[in-house]
Amino acid sequence: WTLDNWSQNPVIDRILRVDHAGEFGANRIYAGQMAVLGRSSVGPLIQQMWNQEKDHLKKFNELMVAYRVRPTVLLPFWNVAGFVLGAGSALLGKKGAMACTVAVEESISEHYNNQIRTLIEEDPEKYKELLQVIKQFRDDEQEHHDIGLEHDAEAAPAYSVLKTAIQLGCKVAIFLSERI
Amino acid sequence: MAAAGGLRSAGWRLWRGRAVVRCQQYPPLRALQASAALRRASDEHRKEPLASSSQQHFDSPPDGHQPEQKPQGPHPSYTGQGGQESEDYESEEQLQHRILTAALEFVPEHGWTAEAIAEGAKTLGLSVAAAGLFHSDGSELILHFVSECNTKLSELLRKEQKLVQLGEAEKKPLDEFLRDAVEARLRMLIPYIEKWPQALSVLLLPRNIPSSLNLLTSMIDDIWHYAGDQSTDFNWYTRRAVLTGIYNTTELVMMQDSSPGFEDTWRFLENRVADAMTMSNTASQVQSTGEAVVQGLMGAAVTVSNAETNR
């Protein structure tokens, strides 16, 4: 039940659309976190991670144009939802923000790994450059995840509940963005 | 970045390959057995004219339909199977494609009907029963025509773009580009304009809507692509929706237009495109005014709070 009808390469189409949506959402999450914790001690750290996400988003914007991929229609929704998630988790304190980062980055790393597997199964030669990009980004997200853990994410209030809820939200977001 | 450049050229190659196979992939609507049987029958029918009576094949210059030895080279094969067939075997798709193309010249007289298809089949030396391969309301014929027009438009835009890239032509401003692209596409309807309203109503049949919508959206996407649209946010949708609206309304105006050379239609088109440009300018102005107002209010709030604390 997708809108894949006019896409020449549905595999690339989906991959780029969901990745673009993901980086866009990640940007908004860090923006929300900065809005609350920007002037705190973790401000510079969050800013640094945010800058890396901005680079990721820029790269996917270029790829979207090159492959003529349709962006997800849910972008305005991810715009608001991402910011609310970031700001909301930051209101739980620095550890809350870190917990959110850990949850999201873990979901994204797993998601990128899945995509890497798919592309390798399809045609590693044809998708060589895309694979390179995704591998690099997966490593970056993994690094963010580790930074979050280093900064006491697990000590956040209701850590496991928070993490489960956020990861469930990520799964839904991925499912929807691939298709619409 | 080398990676981006490489990917971009990969994207161009992907896209260019698309342009040829971009034709709508709508499924043949009759059982393969029926059409295979028909083809065998028409094969036998064809072999006879080569030997005996069909002087019309050899006397009149075969413009576009030639005696059936080899299928011609660049058939835009919808499913890509055509390229893999051996030289003297023609796929189902290619056969249907040739019949429909031949049928188009009979549309002004017979409309988008099985009669036109039958006449087209006759010119190819096939039995008129070949029209039985298709629906009686002419759906496939119309969809084929739309698909061909879209392909021609893509070609045209691609050539123009090449000229601009080589520096042999000026890059058009956006409103002129959109206007020219829509006009070029609508002009392809002119030979069939009398029967086009009938075609539009067939395209709106529920059975045909997925295909016709698909063709419409890919055409609009093509135009925006060549116009240089690089949006990756919600604008992607807004722009396509606006252009679709412009295209559809202009098409309807064209149906009613009786002015010489359709000048009323082109004027209507010009006005609609100008409206769209104005709207987008207004939208961005509203946004920047809004941002300025917000900043002003924030400044006022800070001033007031400073004044309060200093009191």
Side-chain angles (χ1 to χ4, degrees):
Chain A
W1 59 283
T2 72
L3 302 178
D4 273 343
N5 286 350
W6 66 82
S7 132
Q8 186 63 16
N9 189 339
V11 172
I12 291 267
D13 205 62
R14 265 193 188 197
I15 287 182
L16 285 181
R17 179 162 49 250
V18 71
D19 287 352
H20 173 258
E23 295 298 346
F24 180 79
N27 255 278
R28 297 301 294 153
I29 292 177
Y30 283 122
Q33 290 189 343
M34 278 304 281
V36 176
L37 291 173
R39 269 158 296 189
S40 72
S41 58
V42 293
L45 185 61
I46 299 180
Q47 180 68 48
Q48 186 195 333
M49 293 198 283
W50 189 10
N51 290 341
Q52 276 188 309
E53 300 295 352
K54 284 186 190 160
D55 282 338
H56 289 186
L57 182 61
K58 191 154 148 289
K59 182 70 187 168
F60 278 119
N61 279 335
E62 289 167 13
L63 288 174
M64 293 273 278
V65 173
Y67 284 91
R68 287 179 69 174
V69 171
R70 169 182 68 85
T72 169
V73 73
L74 296 170
L75 278 179
F77 183 68
W78 300 145
N79 190 347
V80 173
F83 191 88
V84 164
L85 175 60
S89 63
L91 286 172
L92 292 174
K94 299 182 201 148
K95 302 199 182 93
M98 290 299 143
C100 172
T101 301
V102 165
V104 171
E105 301 293 7
E106 190 177 300
S107 285
I108 291 194
S109 300
E110 186 189 321
H111 164 72
Y112 278 150
N113 276 332
N114 288 340
Q115 289 191 336
I116 291 171
R117 272 189 282 272
T118 306
L119 287 175
I120 289 182
E121 269 169 24
E122 279 276 326
D123 192 340
E125 265 317 299
K126 181 171 161 196
Y127 299 125
K128 195 161 66 145
E129 288 166 274
L130 185 57
L131 271 169
Q132 231 174 317
V133 169
I134 297 184
K135 280 182 189 165
Q136 174 62 44
F137 288 5
R138 183 225 24 214
D139 293 341
D140 291 344
E141 308 294 3
Q142 190 66 35
E143 198 188 310
H144 293 179
H145 169 263
D146 296 339
I147 291 177
L149 282 179
E150 275 168 37
H151 284 79
D152 302 326
E154 284 162 328
Y159 175 68
S160 50
V161 174
L162 201 58
K163 182 161 178 248
T164 315
I166 292 178
Q167 293 196 321
L168 182 61
C170 287
K171 283 206 176 69
V172 170
I174 289 173
F175 179 85
L176 290 175
S177 300
E178 276 180 344
R179 288 158 182 80
I180 26 183
Chain B
M1 288 191 262
L7 274 162
R8 203 169 285 124
S9 60
W12 282 126
R13 279 194 291 273
L14 250 181
W15 151 74
R16 232 185 267 144
R18 274 168 97 182
V20 173
V21 195
R22 217 8 151 85
C23 308
Q24 167 57 17
Q25 298 171 15
Y26 54 90
L29 289 165
R30 291 298 195 206
L32 268 174
Q33 294 97 334
S35 51
L38 230 94
R39 199 155 11 113
R40 279 197 292 279
S42 59
D43 271 339
E44 283 147 25
H45 175 85
R46 253 181 275 143
K47 287 197 180 102
E48 288 191 14
L50 284 177
S52 60
S53 60
S54 178
Q55 258 76 2
Q56 60 261 34
H57 263 281
F58 297 102
D59 290 351
S60 56
D63 52 333
H65 55 271
Q66 304 184 5
E68 243 53 81
Q69 287 105 356
K70 293 170 193 249
Q72 295 309 307
H75 278 297
S77 163
Y78 296 176
T79 58
Q81 289 171 339
Q84 288 158 15
E85 308 292 357
S86 60
E87 286 237 351
D88 50 2
Y89 175 73
E90 186 182 39
S91 77
E92 170 102 12
E93 306 279 341
Q94 285 178 318
L95 176 68
Q96 293 189 342
H97 186 267
R98 280 195 312 120
I99 296 177
L100 292 176
T101 308
L104 283 177
E105 93 181 66
F106 299 97
V107 166
E109 187 188 336
H110 296 279
W112 305 93
T113 57
E115 280 89 53
I117 302 179
E119 294 293 325
K122 271 205 305 205
T123 65
L124 295 179
L126 299 171
S127 147
V128 298
L133 282 172
F134 307 100
H135 260 98
S136 57
D137 58 4
S139 296
E140 292 96 328
L141 183 56
I142 300 171
L143 288 170
H144 169 87
F145 173 68
V146 172
S147 171
E148 291 288 295
C149 288
N150 291 353
T151 309
K152 270 194 270 186
L153 180 67
S154 290
E155 261 311 298
L156 185 73
L157 292 175
R158 196 176 65 80
K159 288 202 183 100
E160 262 182 39
Q161 187 185 54
K162 207 177 236 176
L163 288 179
V164 171
Q165 279 174 348
L166 294 173
E168 290 171 23
E170 282 294 308
K171 189 164 151 75
K172 291 184 199 169
L174 183 61
D175 57 347
E176 192 184 325
F177 183 92
L178 295 178
R179 222 184 320 136
D180 288 348
V182 172
E183 184 179 329
R185 178 60 178 79
L186 286 175
R187 278 188 184 274
M188 298 183 198
L189 298 179
I190 292 182
Y192 308 92
I193 194 99
E194 311 237 320
K195 309 287 182 185
W196 193 245
Q198 174 202 358
L200 281 181
S201 60
V202 169
L203 285 175
L204 287 173
L205 290 174
R207 175 169 37 92
N208 291 329
I209 288 203
S211 309
S212 62
L213 209 51
N214 197 336
L215 285 167
L216 177 64
T217 49
S218 52
M219 187 243 311
I220 298 285
D221 182 51
D222 251 357
I223 298 181
W224 268 117
H225 170 78
Y226 288 105
D229 176 40
Q230 302 208 326
S231 47
T232 51
D233 53 3
F234 203 74
N235 269 327
W236 192 96
Y237 291 91
T238 319
R239 288 181 180 185
R240 280 152 184 77
V242 167
L243 188 58
T244 309
I246 294 177
Y247 179 85
N248 283 338
T249 47
T250 312
E251 191 179 22
L252 289 176
V253 165
M254 196 173 166
M255 299 296 109
Q256 320 275 17
D257 189 4
S258 51
S259 63
F262 295 97
E263 54 190 34
D264 284 349
T265 305
W266 310 137
R267 203 172 323 125
F268 176 86
L269 173 60
E270 192 177 334
N271 290 338
R272 294 295 74 72
V273 171
D275 283 347
M277 299 289 120
T278 311
M279 258 199 317
S280 86
N281 284 341
T282 311
S284 51
Q285 278 177 356
V286 164
Q287 189 181 16
S288 39
T289 308
E291 281 167 12
V293 165
V294 164
Q295 289 217 347
L297 287 174
M298 299 280 277
V302 167
T303 313
V304 166
S305 79
N306 284 347
E308 287 293 317
T309 50
N310 287 345
R311 196 187 295 183

